Amino acid sequence: MKIFVYSAHRFEKHFLEKAAQGKHELVYSAYALNENTAKLAQDSDVVSVFTSDDVSAGLVNLLYDYGIRFIALRSVGYDHVDIIKTKELGIKVANVPAYSPYAVAEHGVALLMALNRKIILGQQLMKKNNFSLDDLIGFDLHGKTIGIVGTGKIGTAFAHIMNGFGCNLLGFDITPNEELIQQTNISYTSLEDLCRQSDVISLNCPLNGQTKYLFNKNLFSIMKKETIFINTARGSIVNTKDLIEALGNKTIAGAGLDVYENEKPIFFSNHLNNVIIDPIFDKLRSLPNVLITGHQAFLTKEALTGIAETTFSNINDWANGEKCPNEL
């Protein structure tokens, strides 16, 4: 099959080529899928897209007109895809429902540790020959309460790590994870109670109609002033303006973010010679109690291998006329 890969990044090509095993023709484009680039996939059998691509209804129509009947996602999330429209047109879509959950969970812990122990500030001061410790006080994680919103595979991995630190775990999920309850000290509670009790809150839930702006001024207002807020899930689960306000007036202590609600035109690209016009993002990254990474939590060899292998497992199923278990 001829596969057009949108938003192709140098870091993933090796893994994609290895997983393809020479069975398919791959055409790479650094461009994201949009109205101007959809025609590039003409004459292809499959398009492969990333989270930064636009697969809304209008784009689905364009892809259909160009003969595309299969869309292979290189991601777990599919909130950027109009699934109703793809079903209406008969375009098959499959995602990567799971890859190394440890990649994202461990990155969340890294953000937490860096914020709590003032690692970035300490390095900046050291480079200036300032070895004073006065502004570098953190707190022990041992014995603290960790609130985990979403206890699927990534939330479970994060819970196990925090359990190893000797933390008390609170969970919030539509469906409690009974296996996790047996393996750790986690107890499930309401979202409001979790926010009131937790010293650290980690978001690990998907973005959908129920979770968009789930975290807003109301929830931030009931958190502890010492709370560190971690988001490695999706940016739009959080109302960024409300988060900025909470951080600015010290309603909460800090935030470690790997995602941002308006990240699509910013993340995954080099803007060294460009001006980023986004006052909300500028304000967010200027705050001293915020640490932001550019949606890199998934970026480990193990995760990239898993993403590539599942992507081509999906494509191989289609090529062989077999039912793909990951179709949406």
Side-chain angles (χ1 to χ4, degrees), residues 146-152 155 169-177 180 186-195 198 201-206 210-211 214-215 219 237:
I146 312 297
I148 304 171
V149 181
T151 53
L169 307 180
L170 287 178
F172 173 77
D173 204 313
I174 296 174
T175 305
N177 186 328
L180 185 60
I186 195 168
S187 58
Y188 284 82
T189 186
S190 68
L191 183 60
E192 290 76 13
D193 187 56
L194 181 148
C195 289
S198 298
I201 296 174
S202 175
L203 303 195
N204 304 104
C205 57
Q210 287 70 48
T211 61
L214 179 65
F215 279 82
L219 284 184
I237 298 172

Side-chain angles (χ1 to χ4, degrees), residues 7-304:
S7 298
H9 299 281
R10 182 165 51 88
F11 63 73
E12 63 179 337
K13 287 185 180 180
H14 164 74
F15 299 93
L16 293 172
E17 294 285 351
K18 185 176 180 180
Q21 298 181 334
K23 296 178 181 178
H24 306 279
E25 178 187 353
L26 274 67
V27 180
Y28 297 101
S29 174
Y31 292 115
L33 172 60
N34 56 44
E35 290 183 354
N36 297 319
T37 62
K39 61 185 177 183
L40 297 175
Q42 192 168 11
D43 300 324
S44 298
D45 301 297
V46 183
V47 297
S48 179
V49 298
F50 199 52
T51 56
S52 51
D53 292 298
D54 179 3
V55 200
S56 57
L59 268 299
V60 172
N61 279 324
L62 282 176
L63 291 176
Y64 183 84
D65 290 342
Y66 289 129
I68 303 301
R69 298 297 182 265
F70 304 99
I71 300 175
L73 309 185
R74 306 194 306 283
S75 62
V76 177
Y78 51 90
D79 50 278
H80 56 307
V81 182
D82 192 316
I83 297 297
I84 295 175
K85 177 58 69 172
T86 60
K87 288 184 180 296
E88 177 186 314
L89 296 176
I91 297 177
K92 294 185 177 182
V93 182
N95 73 334
V96 179
Y99 52 87
S100 172
Y102 308 105
V104 180
E106 289 172 7
H107 191 81
V109 176
L111 289 172
L112 168 59
M113 294 299 292
L115 274 168
N116 177 33
R117 301 309 299 267
K118 313 292 192 297
I119 301 298
I120 306 299
L121 177 59
Q123 183 70 5
Q124 291 171 342
L125 293 175
M126 183 169 287
K127 288 183 176 180
K128 296 177 182 178
N129 283 340
N130 182 347
F131 299 93
S132 169
L133 303 180
D134 294 336
D135 297 319
L136 303 179
I137 300 172
F139 57 80
D140 288 0
L141 282 173
H142 182 85
K144 296 300 187 296
T145 298
I146 312 297
I148 304 171
V149 181
T151 53
K153 289 181 171 61
I154 295 172
T156 293
F158 186 85
H160 280 294
I161 297 171
M162 292 293 97
N163 191 63
F165 272 91
C167 300
N168 302 310
L169 307 180
L170 287 178
F172 173 77
D173 204 313
I174 296 174
T175 305
N177 186 328
E178 295 297 332
E179 185 176 355
L180 185 60
I181 293 172
Q182 296 297 320
Q183 295 173 343
T184 68
N185 64 22
I186 195 168
S187 58
Y188 284 82
T189 186
S190 68
L191 183 60
E192 290 76 13
D193 187 56
L194 181 148
C195 289
R196 290 190 183 95
Q197 293 194 51
S198 298
D199 301 292
V200 175
I201 296 174
S202 175
L203 303 195
N204 304 104
C205 57
L207 173 64
N208 53 43
Q210 287 70 48
T211 61
K212 182 170 183 179
Y213 286 174
L214 179 65
F215 279 82
N216 52 41
K217 184 180 297 186
N218 293 334
L219 284 184
F220 290 127
S221 69
I222 62 176
M223 294 179 188
K224 298 180 180 180
K225 292 187 180 298
E226 300 82 13
T227 297
I228 291 181
F229 184 77
I230 305 294
N231 186 7
T232 56
R234 284 290 185 268
S236 293
I237 298 172
V238 181
N239 184 311
T240 307
K241 290 182 179 179
D242 290 353
L243 174 61
I244 290 172
E245 182 180 341
L247 291 162
N249 61 25
K250 300 191 184 307
T251 298
I252 61 174
L257 311 171
D258 186 55
V259 289
Y260 165 59
E261 65 172 302
N262 300 315
E263 70 180 51
K264 189 167 288 189
I266 302 173
F267 289 1
F268 300 110
S269 299
N270 184 345
H271 299 281
L272 186 61
N273 298 315
N274 302 322
V275 176
I276 296 174
I277 303 176
D278 186 333
I280 297 175
F281 184 63
D282 286 342
K283 178 62 177 177
L284 183 65
R285 61 177 170 164
S286 72
L287 294 172
N289 51 349
V290 173
L291 176 57
I292 304 175
T293 53
H295 207 134
Q296 70 182 71
F298 74 99
L299 204 62
T300 67
K301 294 177 181 178
E302 293 82 0
L304 290 170

